[in-house]
Amino acid sequence: MYFVGLVLFIAFLIFSTLLSGSLVSFIDLASIVVVLGFSFPLLMASGLLSDFLRAFKIMGSRVNVWSMIELNKTELALRLAMKLLLISGLSGTIIGMISIASHLSDMSALLPSIGVALLTLFYSILLVFILLPMQAKVKAMILTMDKDYNNENSTH
């Protein structure tokens, strides 16, 4: 169901960008590289990259085959990834704004340059949108396991 929702989300995103202008104005490879380039090395440094990647496996499975520790570490990795993405987007936007301020000689280029600088923040928010359902599913699995564990212990 996640992947169906993701496809619908992307379709709505493309539709809404087409309504607000050209889809091309929302595409900037450098902004994506900045967001991912700031986030993933720090996720790796935390030692939680494999736990983060497990979230994608969890979203593709119908049955929980993971332990409580694995699920808790996955939820922690997702929370960290979302924070890193948002901070990366904000940092990229600030770097872009500083660059604009220091190199702007033509005022007619100001608004398009600001638009490009804001794309890093836009991309980071989009990636957080994609990770939020993963975090919710992992958290629901943890709550279910916790409930099952408490029910087993209360009957003994």
Side-chain angles (χ1 to χ4, degrees):
M1 201 61 164
Y2 172 74
F3 297 107
V4 171
L6 187 59
V7 168
L8 290 172
F9 173 76
I10 292 170
F12 182 74
L13 177 65
I14 291 170
F15 178 71
S16 63
T17 57
L18 288 173
L19 286 177
S20 64
S22 170
L23 183 62
V24 175
S25 8
F26 287 89
I27 298 173
D28 182 46
L29 185 60
S31 296
I32 295 170
V33 169
V34 166
V35 170
L36 297 178
F38 285 172
S39 300
F40 276 94
L42 293 173
L43 192 56
M44 290 170 60
S46 73
L48 294 172
L49 183 61
S50 62
D51 299 299
F52 172 75
L53 295 174
R54 182 183 308 116
F56 293 91
K57 294 177 189 171
I58 289 171
M59 293 310 287
S61 76
R62 294 176 186 251
V63 179
N64 181 11
V65 295
W66 294 275
S67 70
M68 182 70 94
I69 292 173
E70 290 172 320
L71 291 173
N72 280 320
K73 286 179 72 178
T74 301
E75 205 262 334
L76 177 64
L78 285 167
R79 277 190 285 136
L80 176 62
M82 287 187 283
K83 289 174 185 174
L84 288 172
L85 287 167
L86 290 173
I87 293 169
S88 295
L90 185 58
S91 299
T93 297
I94 291 170
I95 290 168
M97 295 294 197
I98 291 169
S99 177
I100 291 167
S102 64
H103 294 92
L104 188 65
S105 58
D106 180 15
M107 289 305 285
S108 65
L110 179 63
L111 289 178
S113 298
I114 290 173
V116 171
L118 288 171
L119 282 176
T120 54
L121 190 56
F122 178 70
Y123 289 145
S124 68
I125 291 169
L126 288 179
L127 291 170
V128 169
F129 268 132
I130 291 169
L131 296 180
L132 279 170
M134 290 181 175
Q135 182 188 25
K137 182 171 181 175
V138 171
K139 189 68 175 169
M141 291 172 117
I142 291 168
L143 291 173
T144 301
M145 287 181 73
D146 194 38
K147 180 182 171 239
D148 291 344
Y149 176 78
N150 288 336
N151 285 342
E152 284 178 14
N153 286 339
S154 66
T155 59
H156 293 291

